[in-house]
Amino acid sequence: MAKSRVSFLCGNCGAVHPKWLGKCPECGGWNTLERFVETPVAGAVGAALGGDGGAARAGAEMPRPRPLPDVSTDAVARIPTGIGELDRVLGGGIVPGSVVLLGGEPGIGKSTLLLQALLSLARADRTALYATSEESPQQIKLRAERLDSATLPDPSRLLLYADSLLDRMLEHAVRLKPSLLAVDSIQLVARHDVDGAPGSVVQLRRCCHDLVSFAKRSGCAVVLVGHVTKDGLLSGPKMLEHMVDVVLSFEGDRHHLHRVVRATKNRFGSTQEVGLFEMTGVGLVEVDDSRLASAQMAEPRPGSATAPTLAGSRVMLAEIQALAASGFLGNAKRKTSGVDASRVGMLVAVLEKHGGLRLADQDIYVASAGGLRLSEPAVDLGVALAIAGAHLRRALPAHAAVVGEISLAGDLRPVRQIEQRVEAVRRRGVRTLLLPAGQLQSAPGISLVPIRRVSDAIDQLLAPAMKSDRS
Ligand code: TYD
Ligand code: MG
């Protein structure tokens, strides 16, 4: 058996050094190096991993350099998970031999989504191995029954394996040759021959490396569930994200209905798409974006605005709500949910300076209804009009939506893909759209109101009745 090697691994950037240093030369972090012992893997698993040790390498076939045109891309036929919204984010399905990291807060529904995908794969006659290091097989069975008790798949297709030792997990995977191996979660698996507790940088790096090698060698797709820290970042070194092919992030508030899956990295597709789900009593249900049309549009209230926002290739109608209540001058609160707090701060300042509103002594709360996270500047006008409407107690007319980015000077700036947004809001029953002046003159079936400055928008809000059915 080949000799073990002692190395030092930086917990910050994942760099490996042969000796201990106080400061990592790669990332400059202090006291981040951890000692670890690497032992080569022998046997079938070693060969499947490409062999770190000489013994294993001797048995494995050595790859040769090949001209680019000779590389076959037939193997990139994707495996559809059968869950439309998930496939959309993945770019059409999981690529065999790829590694997907699915991150999200506890309780958001990672295990549920994974199990639904595996059940659907099993129903499509593909073998899936679900390695669970967090839950017992009984818990998973109970969840599966809750999800879809009537149609549990062919029993031989979905295999549960409860263990936290990666070596044994891979041994089973090598033997069973599944189409997909799911590891829930990567933070709770470990190798017995590596120092450190499960979840430590050393273990994470090594286990992830082994799983990536296994996927590349065997052509089996691997899905890893990852925990996130309280700041919403995937826990463990950034290197985990570098190593895998796709990083999916499962977002949304645990207390809200809607859950959003987005790709923050995708070697096989776009990172623009989002998948929308709703957590129900029978698991995650895909949401058709037309259902997101806000119900308040028909009977608008002061302090709410509807704004078309882009999420990948589709337009969603976001409902922004604001509340203004008297607070204390110099100590007024600004609280947000689903909307960027500093952006709201800026918009409040613009409303004061260029909109003539006095908000310094007002507590202001802004929320995106349904827990949808709005990060696009195109929702600025919606946020501003929700705040102004809450303060002035004036509502926008029925069936109206607003879109536009607001500059510090109080001007409206154009937004991208305006035609697509106009068409999408028209289809969802919007009859009037306030939009940046000069972007689009007219559109069939909808009246467009050009807005030059934020003060014009407030005038519109104060107008006794907007000409809402001009066309
Ligand atoms: P889970 O998938 O275990 O979350 P994670 O793996 O991300 O920690 O569970 C998500 C939550 O969803 C859990 O609190 C229970 C709830 N839930 C439902 O509301 N309906 C369901 O059908 C299931 C399976 C779970
Ligand atoms: Mg879980």
Side-chain angles (χ1 to χ4, degrees):
M1 190 174 150
K3 255 179 39 203
S4 319
R5 197 172 58 211
V6 176
S7 312
F8 294 86
L9 174 73
C10 173
N12 207 16
C13 67
V16 181
H17 305 285
K19 60 177 195 263
W20 192 84
L21 298 161
K23 180 182 177 185
C24 172
E26 293 291 324
C27 67
W30 285 96
N31 207 15
T32 54
L33 263 53
E34 275 181 47
R35 176 185 184 277
F36 79 107
V37 184
E38 256 180 318
T39 319
V41 207
V45 175
L49 299 181
D52 297 45
R57 198 178 293 136
E61 197 189 319
M62 184 159 126
R64 286 210 197 95
R66 271 186 291 172
L68 186 61
D70 292 1
V71 178
S72 146
T73 48
D74 296 347
V76 189
R78 296 165 187 262
I79 311 172
T81 61
I83 299 181
E85 293 292 298
L86 183 61
D87 286 340
R88 170 200 281 270
V89 182
L90 287 166
I94 299 188
V95 175
S98 72
V99 181
V100 178
L101 179 61
L102 173 65
E105 289 183 12
I108 192 93
K110 301 180 292 299
S111 306
T112 307
L113 181 65
L114 191 60
L115 185 60
Q116 283 183 253
L118 296 185
L119 284 170
S120 150
L121 281 177
R123 257 176 239 129
D125 251 356
R126 289 183 189 274
T127 310
L129 177 59
Y130 188 168
T132 162
S133 47
E134 288 190 0
E135 290 168 298
S136 67
Q138 288 78 7
Q139 282 173 300
I140 293 174
K141 173 81 188 292
L142 285 176
R143 181 181 288 137
E145 284 175 348
R146 187 171 169 188
L147 293 176
D148 212 346
S149 52
T151 46
L152 279 181
D154 174 353
S156 62
R157 287 299 183 188
L158 178 54
L159 301 159
L160 296 183
Y161 179 66
D163 195 4
S164 57
L165 277 185
L166 185 78
D167 344 18
R168 296 203 294 232
M169 208 178 274
L170 283 177
E171 239 172 79
H172 287 296
V174 167
R175 186 173 51 82
L176 293 166
K177 299 193 179 60
S179 305
L180 193 139
L181 166 68
V183 181
D184 188 358
S185 67
I186 183 74
Q187 270 87 6
L188 282 186
V189 296
R191 285 188 55 104
H192 76 275
D193 52 356
V194 173
D195 288 349
S200 66
V201 182
V202 173
Q203 287 284 9
L204 274 177
R205 174 183 172 276
R206 182 59 200 267
C207 293
C208 187
H209 178 264
D210 281 2
L211 284 160
V212 171
S213 313
F214 165 72
K216 302 286 170 236
R217 292 265 155 172
S218 64
C220 165
V222 174
V223 179
L224 310 175
V225 171
H227 294 174
V228 295
T229 60
K230 63 178 184 327
D231 312 320
L233 299 169
L234 274 157
S235 62
K238 258 280 178 247
M239 154 211 82
L240 218 58
E241 286 163 69
H242 289 301
M243 276 155 89
V244 302
D245 299 299
V246 180
V247 180
L248 297 184
S249 132
F250 207 169
E251 299 166 2
D253 197 319
R254 198 157 14 133
H255 309 294
H256 281 117
L257 217 51
H258 292 128
R259 308 286 155 94
V260 178
V261 180
R262 62 177 90 234
T264 53
K265 165 181 175 177
N266 192 348
R267 286 188 181 147
F268 311 108
S270 145
T271 51
Q272 297 289 313
E273 293 295 344
V274 298
L276 282 178
F277 292 95
E278 199 171 290
M279 183 57 97
T280 67
V282 288
L284 290 157
V285 176
E286 299 174 50
V287 178
D288 171 11
D289 47 340
S290 62
R291 279 181 48 211
L292 288 179
S294 56
Q296 66 87 34
M297 242 177 18
E299 275 179 65
R301 303 249 176 91
S304 77
T306 304
T309 175
L310 287 179
S313 58
R314 59 177 163 195
V315 180
M316 294 196 278
L317 277 195
E319 185 187 333
I320 303 155
Q321 297 179 335
L323 178 72
S326 7
F328 296 102
L329 189 65
N331 195 22
K333 292 193 192 102
R334 306 279 182 257
K335 298 267 187 236
T336 67
S337 144
V339 190
D340 181 39
S342 58
R343 194 84 194 167
V344 168
M346 176 216 125
L347 290 170
V348 169
V350 170
L351 284 171
E352 284 236 351
K353 196 77 188 162
H354 303 288
L357 303 186
R358 189 179 147 72
L359 301 166
D361 59 353
Q362 296 286 308
D363 287 343
I364 292 173
Y365 303 87
V366 181
S368 147
L372 208 62
R373 204 169 291 176
L374 306 176
S375 52
E376 227 201 345
V379 299
D380 281 356
L381 188 60
V383 173
L385 282 182
I387 297 174
H391 180 61
L392 300 167
R393 300 208 180 98
R394 298 297 296 241
L396 282 161
H399 304 289
V402 301
V403 68
E405 180 179 344
I406 296 178
S407 75
L408 284 178
D411 297 321
L412 264 285
R413 300 169 61 133
V415 297
R416 63 198 173 101
Q417 300 183 24
I418 189 74
E419 286 91 355
Q420 200 189 341
R421 295 187 208 242
V422 170
E423 176 52 26
V425 294
R426 189 190 60 76
R427 264 192 284 122
R428 312 251 175 88
V430 171
R431 290 194 218 123
T432 316
L433 179 70
L434 274 60
L435 80 177
Q439 263 220 292
L440 195 65
Q441 303 313 325
S442 64
I446 184 165
S447 132
L448 303 180
V449 182
I451 305 288
R452 203 163 293 284
R453 299 185 51 76
V454 69
S455 51
D456 300 346
I458 294 174
D459 291 346
Q460 291 285 343
L461 198 63
L462 292 173
M466 275 169 64
K467 291 181 225 149
S468 58
D469 28 32
R470 228 186 290 166
S471 55

